[in-house]
Amino acid sequence: MNEIKKLKEAIKESKRIVIFSGAGLSTNSGIPDFRSADGLYNQRGNYTVSPEEIISHSFFISNPDDFYRFYFDKMIYPNALPNEAHRYFAYLENEGYDVTVVTQNIDDLHQMAGSSNVVELHGSVKRNYCMRCKKYYDIFEIFNPGKVPYCSCGGIIKPDVVLYEEGLKSNDISKAVDAISKCDLLIVVGTSLTVYPAAGFIRYFKGNHLALLNKTETQYDNMADIVIHDDIKNVISELNK
């Protein structure tokens, strides 16, 4: 039985499904991933420090101008729309499956596609808060390339995303681990599983089928009973047949 057919069968026989998604899921929506040749970490451009350093907490605090110049230039895609993979996972929920999405992505595309139970491990670019008074701002209120956004109270506005040197929210960790430990099928898609602690969450899986869908091999491939190395759009096309 080929891997696509095995995945189809695994979906049919499952009640609880967790989608664990990474940046590779959103590349077909025009959002670069992190580690590929065209990824964010290879887009240094005119910046004198690495992208990893720029999107760290300490850099944000000490160099908000340079942080926001990079952030607005490289990480914000206000016109991005869900692709066929986001829509397919939302479709599974509409078909009556108990679907939880655990995502490392910060683009909000799962929710835009219609998924209602989404755990955002790394936050969302759509939410932003004043560091002084905690007033909320959506992305369109602060999106002004080249300028640091300030609150009406004078405080700097910070994106509600997990930067390097920041920890994941304990509530999100609990939700993710609980969903993964209780699901029948775990579909890991578009992630190289190298970012911790999130990547380690799949060790909590005790269900029937673990499917890894990624363009390249991952260190967890030998744990899965379904492994597909292909562009996710090709996988979804086959699943829809």
Side-chain angles (χ1 to χ4, degrees):
M1 184 186 298
N2 66 41
E3 298 299 279
I4 293 289
K5 188 174 181 181
K6 286 167 63 176
L7 181 55
K8 282 185 176 182
E9 291 298 321
I11 292 171
K12 285 182 181 179
E13 66 185 48
S14 299
K15 293 182 179 179
R16 290 184 174 180
I17 300 174
V18 168
I19 311 300
F20 187 95
S21 66
L25 184 66
S26 294
T27 54
N28 289 323
S29 292
I31 300 176
D33 61 11
F34 290 87
R35 291 173 175 79
S36 68
D38 298 320
L40 182 68
Y41 292 163
N42 290 308
Q43 297 187 25
R44 182 186 295 263
N46 295 322
Y47 300 94
T48 57
V49 297
S50 69
E52 293 98 320
E53 183 176 345
I54 294 173
I55 55 177
S56 67
H57 176 83
S58 57
F59 191 91
F60 170 77
I61 296 299
S62 61
N63 299 277
D65 290 275
D66 286 339
F67 171 88
Y68 267 111
R69 186 162 59 90
F70 180 88
Y71 182 73
F72 285 143
D73 184 32
K74 303 294 186 181
M75 298 183 67
I76 302 299
Y77 293 82
N79 297 318
L81 296 173
N83 60 51
E84 52 269 84
H86 298 102
R87 293 193 294 269
Y88 178 78
F89 297 134
Y91 159 80
L92 291 180
E93 180 181 336
N94 291 334
E95 287 295 293
Y97 292 95
D98 182 351
V99 179
T100 299
V101 175
V102 177
T103 186
Q104 299 174 86
N105 298 338
I106 57 175
D107 52 37
D108 203 48
L109 295 184
H110 281 294
Q111 292 93 323
M112 290 175 64
S115 291
S116 63
N117 190 14
V118 181
V119 181
E120 296 173 314
L121 294 175
H122 295 157
S124 171
V125 299
K126 298 295 181 70
R127 299 187 301 270
N128 306 272
Y129 296 92
C130 172
M131 296 182 69
R132 180 184 296 175
C133 72
K134 308 305 179 184
K135 182 179 178 180
Y136 167 85
Y137 291 85
D138 68 36
I139 185 60
F140 297 103
E141 291 179 285
I142 72 162
F143 186 63
N144 189 2
K147 294 187 178 181
V148 176
Y150 285 91
C151 177
S152 54
C153 77
I156 292 179
I157 297 169
K158 180 184 180 296
D160 187 20
V161 298
V162 178
L163 304 176
Y164 283 108
E165 304 167 349
E166 296 179 343
L168 304 185
K169 295 178 182 178
S170 58
N171 188 47
D172 291 333
I173 293 175
S174 296
K175 288 179 180 179
V177 170
D178 183 64
I180 290 171
S181 65
K182 293 178 180 178
C183 70
D184 307 309
L185 168 62
L186 174 59
I187 302 176
V188 181
V189 54
T191 173
S192 57
L193 293 173
T194 57
V195 177
Y196 287 84
F201 290 175
I202 70 170
R203 294 187 179 275
Y204 291 93
F205 176 65
K206 310 185 199 70
N208 301 320
H209 298 286
L210 170 58
L212 297 186
L213 318 180
N214 198 52
K215 282 186 175 181
T216 58
E217 295 181 0
T218 79
Q219 61 182 319
Y220 290 98
D221 280 11
N222 61 351
M223 291 177 55
D225 58 306
I226 302 170
V227 178
I228 301 174
H229 295 144
D230 197 355
D231 191 309
I232 185 60
K233 69 180 179 182
N234 296 330
V235 178
I236 298 301
S237 177
E238 290 296 316
L239 289 175
N240 280 323
K241 289 182 178 178

